[in-house]
Amino acid sequence: MVTNPRVAHRIEHGVLPQWMDVAWERREREVAAMNAAPPSPLPPQTLTPPHRARARGRHRAPSRWCRRRALFHGVLSVLGAMIAPVIGAFP
């Protein structure tokens, strides 16, 4: 903040806005709390098997079923194209 000439002037002349005082006090409280409190030990973690289905967000990738459905549709189309002339050949 000292690089800002307006803030440097205010700091030099003792006129600080209220939000700067509040931010300074909050920072001092956070530093004091960090220094005073001993680090808490980590709780023991249990090993859990990984989940098979991942949660997907809004822009989600196509599922496995979509690929299988497309493959199934393609296979049926090819089989239909192969069988149609055979069925049509008989009167």
Side-chain angles (χ1 to χ4, degrees):
M1 289 186 167
V2 181
T3 57
N4 186 344
R6 291 181 183 174
V7 175
H9 180 270
R10 287 180 180 164
I11 290 174
E12 182 180 330
H13 295 285
V15 180
L16 293 175
Q18 192 266 343
W19 65 268
M20 288 184 71
D21 291 334
V22 171
W24 185 272
E25 291 171 3
R26 182 181 54 84
R27 260 188 251 117
E28 286 179 346
R29 273 188 271 127
E30 287 177 355
V31 168
M34 291 287 284
N35 292 337
S40 60
L42 295 175
Q45 296 181 352
T46 59
L47 296 176
T48 57
H51 299 289
R52 295 192 86 205
R54 277 190 275 158
R56 298 189 195 121
R58 182 175 177 184
H59 301 287
R60 56 183 184 248
S63 66
R64 283 191 240 158
W65 294 107
C66 182
R67 287 178 279 189
R68 290 179 185 169
R69 195 176 310 134
L71 178 65
F72 186 67
H73 182 72
V75 168
L76 284 180
S77 298
V78 169
L79 286 176
M82 290 171 56
I83 293 174
V86 173
I87 292 175
F90 298 111

